[in-house]
Every structure is written in structure tokens, then in C-alpha cells.
Amino acid sequence: PYDWKNARFINDKGRTLDTLALQAALLEEGEFPTKGKDLHDCPLGGMVGLCTKSALKNFLAKMGSDDTIDRALQILNERYGNNE
């Protein structure tokens, strides 16, 4: 479980645990790395880059939403959140 309530990861310059958790959740969902890429091309490194942005976009499309990161966090919290 992960605490998604205060997640902060949209930062192109630094690594965050929140981004790493996002990447891991997207990996579980089969969206990370993106199609045609592997973990060498798109490592689980905690940095927001093209692979993470593309995987997030694909995840939201799969969920039937083209919404924002807030909707993604809501879905991920329902699936992988620390709901204590």
C-alpha cells in the first residue's frame, strides 16, 4: 500500500519516491514501460520523463478517462492505496 494523498512527483528535474511508486503501480497495470520499450529504455528511477508521462496517459485512456493526474491518483489509491 502507498499513501497517494500527498503525492508530489511532476518534476522533470528530480527523483521522488512518489514518482517511483507511480512507476511501480503503472508497471503493475501493464502500462510501464510503454509499448515498444523495456526497463532498460524506461527504468524505474523515480524521475518523470517521457516514459512515465506516456504510461500515465495510456493508463488514463485504459480507464476511460483523459483526465488529469488527480483522477489517476484516485484510481491508484483505490487499487494500491493505504486505506487505513
Side-chain angles (χ1 to χ4, degrees), residues 59-60 63 65-78:
F59 173 72
L60 284 168
M63 295 296 107
S65 174
D66 60 354
D67 214 341
T68 64
I69 188 67
D70 293 330
R71 178 63 182 135
L73 290 177
Q74 181 183 15
I75 294 167
L76 293 172
N77 191 53
E78 290 168 5

Side-chain angles (χ1 to χ4, degrees), residues 5-56:
K5 292 179 205 152
N6 297 311
R8 300 287 179 258
F9 39 70
I10 304 303
N11 178 349
D12 290 318
K13 296 184 180 179
R15 299 174 195 275
T16 69
L17 290 176
D18 293 330
T19 301
L20 183 60
L22 174 65
Q23 290 169 334
L26 292 171
L27 179 67
E28 280 292 311
E29 293 290 328
E31 297 299 334
F32 191 91
T34 55
K35 293 191 183 349
K37 305 280 185 180
D38 60 28
L39 288 174
H40 179 74
D41 300 319
C42 301
L44 291 170
M47 287 187 71
V48 174
L50 292 177
C51 291
T52 304
K53 290 175 184 178
S54 180
L56 182 59

